[in-house]
Amino acid sequence: MANEQVLTAEQVIDNAAKYLVGEDLLFVEKAYQFAKEAHQHQYRKSGEPYIIHPIQVAGILVDLDMDPSTVAAGFLHDVVEDTEVTLEEIEKAFTAEVAMLVDGVTKLGKIKYKSKEEQQAENHRKMFVAMAQDIRVILIKLADRLHNMRTLKHLPQEKQRRISNETLEIFAPLAHRLGISKIKWELEDTSLRYLNPQQYYRIVNLMKKKRAEREEYLEEVIGEVRAQVEDVKIKAEISGRPKHIYSIYRKMALQNKQFNEIYDLLAVRIIVNSIKDCYAVLGIIHTCYKPMPGRFKDYIAMPKPNMYQSLHTTVIGPKGDPLEVQIRTSEMHNIAEYGIAAHWAYKEGKAVGEGSSFEEKLTWFREILEFQNESTNAEEFMESLKLDLFADMVYIFTPKGDVIELPSGSVPIDFSYRIHSEIGNKTIGAKVNGKMVTLDYQLKTGDIIEILTSKHSYGPSQDWLKLAKTTQAKNKIRQFFKKQQREENIEKGRELVEKEIRQMEFDLKEVLTAENLKRVTEKFNFSNEEDMYAAVGYNGITALQVANRLTDKWRKQRDLEQQEAALKETVEEVNRTNKVQKKKRRDSGVRVKGVDNLLVRISKCCNPVPGDEIVGFITKGRGVSVHRDDCPNVHVEEAQERLIPVEWESDIKEGREFNVEIEISGYDRAGLLNEVLQTVNDSKTNISAVSGKSDRNKMASIHMSLAITNISHLHKVVEKIKHIPDIYSVRRIMH
C-alpha cells in the first residue's frame, strides 16, 4: 500500500491474477469495465478522471487478497451514488451479493437532512448496520477512505480538517478494532498531517535528525540478537520496527513527554516459525538484556479482541536506552498487518472468513444491530457507537475463564447484561476476585467476576441507568421498564409533550393533528404515536425533541415574522438617525438585496473581500455588518433570525483595497521572513502590519495584514507564499 504509487487498472488486474483465476478474474475485469463506462466524463477535484479512484480502492482490496465480489464492489462502490446506475442494474449485471456490498457503502446523498451532522451520522448508521450483516462492507469503506486521505491535498483546508477529524474519530479506530494496522497507521498519520501540521512536521524533522544514530544502534542490537538466536538453531527474521508519527504524537501529548522520552522509538521485531520459538527467543532477549519491570505483555496467551498476537517486552539496550522487542510467528504478523482481512483472504477458491470461528471473536459487531433498533435518531446511534466501540477497553474473566471485553469504566451491571438480558434483570449482587462488591464498582483488566442472581428479583432499578456504562446495558434496562410501565409511560409522555407545546405558545389542536403526529412518529422511526409517547415517558427521547419536531413548521413561520419585524425596525431606525447612509453604503462595496439606503459596514472579525461568499447581520442602531459566510460569529443559534442576504456591488471602485489578515507557518531558518516579505512585495501588495515569532522547536509563525483588492488577488499572493521552501501552511485569520 505505497502512499505515492498510483495503480493502473491493468496492474490491479495483474495483481488479482496472482490469486484469482478463470471466471473469478473475468468477473473482476467486468466490474472494472462497467465502472469505467459509468464514470465516463467524470473528474475528481484534482482534475484526474474519476475512474482512477475506484481503481485504487480495488487495488487496496486486491492487496488484502479479498474475494471477487469484494474487489468488484471496490470498482463499483461509487457507481450508484455518483451516476445514473441503480442497485437493480448492478444486481442484474453481477450478483445480489455485489449489490448488497455496494449499497452498504453508498451514502444517502439524495435524501435531504436538517444539517450536515445529521446527514453524516445517518450515513454512518447505514454503513455500520450493513457492516454488521457483512464485515466486507467496512473493508471496502476503509479502502475508499484510505485513498481519499491520500488525495486530500486537492480539497479546501476546511474540508481537509473535517474529513481528517472524521477519519480519526470513526475509521482509524475501526481499522484498529479489525486489526488492520497497515491501514490504521496510514489513516492516523495522514489525519495528523492536516489537523496539526506544526506538530506533524516537527516530529518528522526530529525523526530525521536522529535516524542515522537510531539505525546504527539498531544494527548493532540486531547483530547481537541474530548471533544469539542462530546459536540455538532458531530461524528468525529480525528487523527494526517502523515507528509511526501519530503514535509518537499521542504519547507526547497524553503523557506529556518529550521526544527523547518515548520508549519504543527504538524497536526490534523478530518473526519466527512457531509459538515455541517465540518463547525461546524471549528467554534469549531477557538473558542478553535486562528487562524493564512492568513492560512485558503476552498477547499470545491472551490475544487482543482484534485477534492480534505477539510478545512485547522492553529491555535496557547496549547503550542504556530502552529498547522495545516484539516477537511473533509469520501467521501472527500477517494478522497484525491485515487483521480480519487476513481471515477473509481469498485462497484456493473460497473466502476463508465464511463460517469461520473468527466471527465469534467479533460479537461486538452484532451488537450494532441492537444499537440500531433501540436508538431513536442517527446522532444518538453514533454517540452510542463511539462510546462502546471506540473507548478504551478492559478485559474481564468469567468464573470459567472466558474473557469479556467492556469499555473502561464499566460496572458489574454492564457485565451481567453482556452475558444475557435475563441475568442482568435478575442481578442482585456481584463478587470480584472472590469478594463482594457494590454494583457501582469499576471493573479492571484481569478481574474475575461472578454475578449473583435471584429468581425472586423485582428487576432493575431506575438508578441502574446512571450506573451502567455501556449502551447495551442501558438499552436492556430501558426495555424492561418499557414493558413494565407502557400505559403509564404513554400518559406521562403525552402530558410532557403537550406541556412543552403550550410553553412554546402554540395551539394544541392546531399542532396535534393526526397527519402531523404521523409525520413525526415516522421521523423518529416509531410505528405509531403511542410508541413515541411511551419513549418520552421512559426517557428514551425527550419531550422537547418531540415538541420541536411537531412545531417546526409554526416555529419557522414565527421566526420569519420576527426577522421581518427586526428588519423593519432597523430600516426605520437607520432612516431616522443616519443622513449619510447612501454614501456609506456605496463606499462599503456591498448592498443589501432588495433594500436601499441601509448603512452597511465590513466586519473586522473575518475581513471579507470581493469574491468571498458573504452574509449580512442586522445590528441595532449600526445598520448591517457584512461577514464571510463561514464566519463563526454569525452561525450561533441566536444569530440566525438576524441574518439577511447581501451581495457585492458590481461596480466597486477600481483600486479599492480591503484589509486581510493571514498567518504563515513554517520551519524557522535564516532569511525566511525576508523571503516572505520580498515575495509579497513582488506581487505588488501593500503590507500594513507584520509580526513573527519562533518556538523552541524551530517552528516559525508570521502574522501579516495585507491590502487586497479581491479574492483572486488574495489567492495569487497565498500561492506565491506557499511556494517558498520550508513554508508548511498559509491561512486567513478570523477573530
Side-chain angles (χ1 to χ4, degrees):
M1 297 183 194
N3 229 336
E4 301 300 325
Q5 184 183 9
V6 178
L7 298 171
T8 64
E10 290 72 22
Q11 288 172 317
V12 174
I13 300 297
D14 287 345
N15 290 340
K18 294 174 184 175
Y19 70 95
L20 296 179
V21 294
E23 290 185 2
D24 290 335
L25 192 61
L26 290 174
F27 188 78
V28 169
E29 288 186 71
K30 178 184 174 184
Y32 162 65
Q33 294 296 340
F34 190 100
K36 181 182 177 183
E37 187 176 335
H39 289 300
Q40 203 171 13
H41 307 306
Q42 289 184 331
Y43 297 89
R44 303 195 83 204
K45 295 283 186 185
S46 61
E48 300 170 319
Y50 192 89
I51 189 62
I52 286 178
H53 171 62
I55 291 171
Q56 306 316 303
V57 171
I60 293 167
L61 294 169
V62 167
D63 195 29
L64 297 173
D65 287 352
M66 296 306 296
D67 62 289
S69 293
T70 308
V71 177
F75 277 122
L76 299 165
H77 75 277
D78 274 339
V79 164
V80 173
E81 182 180 346
D82 293 334
T83 75
E84 297 301 315
V85 176
T86 64
L87 278 172
E88 290 73 20
E89 290 175 284
I90 289 181
E91 183 173 344
K92 186 177 179 181
F94 297 93
T95 63
E97 182 181 24
V98 172
M100 178 274 296
L101 293 173
V102 171
D103 187 40
V105 292
T106 299
K107 297 190 188 75
L108 309 181
K110 295 177 182 176
I111 299 176
K112 291 187 178 179
Y113 295 96
K114 187 170 63 178
S115 66
K116 284 184 179 179
E117 290 76 15
E118 183 181 352
Q119 181 175 9
Q120 184 186 53
E122 193 62 59
N123 287 334
H124 287 151
R125 167 148 76 170
K126 181 172 185 283
M127 179 185 70
F128 279 109
V129 172
M131 176 182 72
Q133 294 164 340
D134 194 314
I135 204 73
R136 291 173 295 176
V137 169
I138 198 57
L139 296 177
I140 300 167
K141 191 65 186 176
L142 284 173
D144 172 57
R145 178 51 60 107
L146 180 59
H147 183 247
N148 282 337
M149 291 301 293
R150 288 174 179 176
T151 56
L152 209 56
K153 62 185 177 184
H154 301 292
L155 296 180
Q157 189 179 54
E158 185 274 329
K159 277 194 173 181
Q160 290 174 348
R161 294 182 65 82
R162 178 174 57 78
I163 293 170
S164 297
N165 194 57
E166 180 189 40
T167 299
L168 274 185
E169 275 196 352
I170 302 292
F171 293 100
L174 262 176
H176 172 67
R177 291 301 296 265
L178 293 172
I180 314 175
S181 61
K182 204 160 189 178
I183 289 179
K184 176 205 171 192
W185 290 122
E186 189 175 340
L187 290 177
E188 289 181 337
D189 284 359
T190 313
S191 296
L192 180 63
R193 178 180 161 195
Y194 291 104
L195 289 173
N196 197 336
Q198 290 189 341
Q199 286 293 347
Y200 177 87
Y201 287 110
R202 176 194 169 201
I203 293 170
V204 168
N205 285 329
L206 288 169
M207 289 177 75
K208 280 180 182 176
K209 288 177 184 176
K210 299 279 185 179
R211 179 173 294 169
E213 182 184 327
R214 285 202 312 274
E215 287 177 353
E216 183 183 337
Y217 179 71
L218 285 173
E219 281 181 24
E220 179 186 339
V221 172
I222 289 169
E224 289 181 9
V225 173
R226 182 172 283 117
Q228 294 287 338
V229 170
E230 287 175 353
D231 275 353
V232 294
K233 303 293 189 292
I234 293 176
K235 290 184 179 179
E237 181 185 323
I238 308 173
S239 61
R241 182 175 71 87
K243 191 63 191 169
H244 299 279
I245 297 167
Y246 183 74
S247 65
I248 296 173
Y249 166 76
R250 273 182 60 84
K251 287 186 178 180
M252 290 172 70
L254 297 180
Q255 300 174 20
N256 197 25
K257 291 184 175 180
Q258 294 300 314
F259 183 79
N260 56 8
E261 295 179 298
I262 306 296
Y263 283 159
D264 49 357
L265 280 173
L266 297 169
V268 172
R269 179 175 291 147
I270 305 172
I271 299 175
V272 295
N273 292 329
S274 67
I275 293 176
K276 181 181 72 174
D277 288 347
C278 289
Y279 289 100
V281 170
L282 177 69
I284 291 170
I285 297 296
H286 282 181
T287 302
C288 294
Y289 307 110
K290 186 177 181 180
M292 292 181 66
R295 298 286 299 173
F296 170 65
K297 296 184 179 71
D298 187 345
Y299 293 120
I300 293 179
M302 186 70 64
K304 290 184 179 182
N306 62 9
M307 298 163 289
Y308 176 90
Q309 287 184 289
S310 187
L311 295 177
H312 289 195
T313 186
T314 302
V315 297
I316 303 299
K319 296 181 180 178
D321 293 322
L323 172 73
E324 186 187 78
V325 182
Q326 294 181 350
I327 309 165
R328 61 180 68 150
T329 65
S330 299
E331 183 182 355
M332 291 174 191
H333 182 64
N334 194 37
I335 291 171
E337 292 289 292
Y338 297 102
I340 196 171
H343 290 267
W344 212 288
Y346 193 78
K347 301 181 190 302
E348 299 179 6
K350 66 175 183 177
V352 179
E354 293 175 3
S356 298
S357 61
F358 86 96
E359 281 200 333
E360 295 171 13
K361 299 178 183 179
L362 292 166
T363 53
W364 54 277
F365 261 5
R366 304 297 168 244
E367 292 168 15
I368 292 170
L369 289 175
E370 189 173 327
F371 297 162
Q372 149 73 6
N373 293 332
E374 291 299 322
S375 58
T376 54
N377 58 53
E379 288 94 334
E380 179 188 342
F381 172 75
M382 285 310 300
E383 286 307 310
S384 302
L385 198 68
K386 288 176 187 176
L387 176 67
D388 282 10
L389 298 190
F390 305 143
D392 291 334
M393 311 305 288
V394 292
Y395 305 99
I396 315 302
F397 291 94
T398 68
K400 293 182 179 180
D402 296 327
V403 179
I404 302 294
E405 177 192 45
L406 290 168
S408 179
S410 294
V411 298
I413 294 168
D414 297 298
F415 179 88
S416 63
Y417 279 104
R418 176 61 58 90
I419 302 302
H420 196 279
S421 57
E422 279 305 306
I423 292 177
N425 290 338
K426 297 295 182 183
T427 296
I428 58 170
K431 286 184 178 180
V432 173
N433 304 325
K435 296 181 180 179
M436 289 293 296
V437 297
T438 57
L439 291 180
D440 62 354
Y441 169 85
Q442 290 199 357
L443 298 168
K444 302 175 184 65
T445 294
D447 281 347
I448 301 171
I449 182 168
E450 178 187 355
I451 297 297
L452 307 178
T453 61
S454 169
K455 62 182 179 180
H456 302 298
S457 167
Y458 288 105
S461 157
Q462 285 281 0
D463 289 340
W464 287 15
L465 287 170
K466 298 175 185 175
L467 297 179
K469 171 79 172 178
T470 62
T471 307
Q472 181 196 28
K474 290 179 180 179
N475 285 339
K476 294 282 179 65
I477 295 166
R478 289 190 185 112
Q479 282 179 20
F480 177 86
F481 288 116
K482 185 165 62 173
K483 290 175 183 175
Q484 294 290 317
Q485 305 166 347
R486 179 173 169 78
E487 292 303 320
E488 181 183 332
N489 282 330
I490 291 172
E491 189 58 35
K492 180 182 175 184
R494 181 180 281 110
E495 289 176 3
L496 288 171
V497 171
E498 290 179 357
K499 180 182 177 183
E500 290 287 352
I501 294 172
R502 278 195 294 268
Q503 286 180 345
M504 294 176 183
E505 299 180 355
F506 291 116
D507 185 348
L508 286 177
K509 289 182 180 178
E510 190 177 4
V511 173
L512 297 177
T513 62
E515 183 182 352
N516 198 27
L517 283 166
K518 182 183 178 184
R519 176 183 67 84
V520 174
T521 53
E522 290 175 353
K523 188 74 176 176
F524 283 115
N525 295 320
F526 292 111
S527 55
N528 55 59
E529 64 182 84
E530 288 191 344
D531 285 350
M532 181 177 70
Y533 283 135
V536 174
Y538 66 78
N539 296 323
I541 186 173
T542 68
L544 182 59
Q545 284 178 291
V546 175
N548 279 337
R549 284 284 169 87
L550 284 168
T551 59
D552 51 10
K553 181 174 70 174
W554 290 273
R555 284 186 295 109
K556 283 178 186 175
Q557 180 63 32
R558 185 158 69 186
D559 289 346
L560 185 61
E561 290 171 358
Q562 288 174 348
Q563 183 178 342
E564 289 174 352
L567 178 59
K568 184 179 179 182
E569 179 186 343
T570 302
V571 171
E572 290 173 354
E573 189 171 348
V574 172
N575 283 334
R576 211 167 39 242
T577 60
N578 202 322
K579 296 179 180 179
V580 291
Q581 295 162 359
K582 192 169 184 179
K583 179 179 182 301
K584 289 191 176 184
R585 180 187 61 78
R586 284 198 302 268
D587 289 348
S588 70
V590 177
R591 72 182 186 88
V592 179
K593 291 183 180 179
V595 181
D596 284 326
N597 299 333
L598 271 183
L599 173 61
V600 177
R601 60 188 178 85
I602 300 295
S603 171
K604 292 183 180 178
C605 63
C606 55
N607 289 318
V609 300
D612 280 329
E613 295 291 328
I614 52 175
V615 66
F617 180 78
I618 301 168
T619 63
K620 291 191 176 180
R622 293 187 297 158
V624 176
S625 63
V626 178
H627 297 255
R628 279 166 47 195
D629 188 52
D630 59 352
C631 179
N633 292 330
V634 296
H635 286 290
V636 292
E637 186 176 344
E638 57 268 24
Q640 297 307 299
E641 63 184 33
R642 296 172 68 178
L643 299 183
I644 185 171
V646 294
E647 61 188 2
W648 293 105
E649 293 275 17
S650 58
D651 57 346
I652 295 176
K653 184 179 177 183
E654 188 175 347
R656 169 76 193 275
E657 293 180 334
F658 297 80
N659 187 59
V660 171
E661 292 185 46
I662 63 171
E663 181 185 64
I664 304 161
S665 299
Y667 180 68
D668 187 19
R669 57 169 171 79
L672 181 68
L673 179 58
N674 285 338
E675 278 192 50
V676 172
L677 292 172
Q678 187 60 50
T679 299
V680 176
N681 284 330
D682 289 346
S683 68
K684 295 183 173 57
T685 302
N686 292 326
I687 302 172
S688 54
V690 63
S691 64
K693 62 181 179 179
S694 174
D695 63 20
R696 62 179 181 176
N697 299 311
K698 301 290 286 181
M699 294 298 297
S701 180
I702 302 169
H703 289 252
M704 275 190 175
S705 291
L706 306 178
I708 297 295
T709 55
N710 54 44
I711 195 69
S712 177
H713 180 193
L714 177 61
H715 286 166
K716 287 176 182 175
V717 176
V718 168
E719 285 304 312
K720 287 183 179 181
I721 295 172
K722 285 166 70 176
H723 279 87
I724 298 173
D726 295 318
I727 293 296
Y728 298 148
S729 67
V730 182
R731 68 182 187 92
R732 286 175 75 176
I733 299 173
M734 285 194 284
H735 297 289

